[in-house]
Amino acid sequence: MNAPLSQVRIVRLHLPLGGGRTQKLEVIETEGMTLLGAMRQVRGTLPPTWLDSFPCHAGACNTCSILIGSTPGVPCNALVRDLGEDISLAPGKHSRGWDALRDDARKVHG
């Protein structure tokens, strides 16, 4: 059984929708949570524009990138505890060569 966290923290992810609009999603931070884990927690409520640009879902390859604030970062390595309570995100660029491996039916890497 997991011991409860001494303090529950709600983190807000701010995702661009286009036209200057953003979507705010709230996540309950867990111990050692990465940004990839936070995005998995809200996977069902991600904007449609994010479903195609969502990271690899595996956290193993370090080939995907998103903008965290205005800085490129890798979501599987970014710890939520280091990013504050309001985190602005934007789709980044996949490393060269990975776009050809994407499976458009599943919207993830093949």
Side-chain angles (χ1 to χ4, degrees), residues 9-67:
R9 185 170 86 139
I10 303 294
V11 175
R12 290 164 298 281
L13 305 177
H14 301 272
L15 310 172
L17 296 175
R21 299 177 303 128
T22 60
Q23 179 173 353
K24 179 177 75 172
L25 301 170
E26 292 187 342
V27 175
I28 298 172
E29 182 183 10
T30 58
E31 188 75 30
M33 177 183 268
T34 63
L35 192 49
L36 179 62
M39 293 173 73
R40 281 184 176 157
Q41 196 178 112
V42 295
R43 173 86 169 119
T45 58
L46 288 172
T49 55
W50 273 75
L51 294 178
D52 186 43
S53 60
F54 192 78
C56 69
H57 309 280
C61 62
N62 286 340
T63 60
C64 63
S65 173
I66 62 173
L67 295 177

Side-chain angles (χ1 to χ4, degrees), residues 78-92:
L79 293 173
V80 170
R81 69 174 177 242
D82 297 335
L83 301 174
E85 293 182 4
D86 284 287
I87 305 168
S88 295
L89 303 174

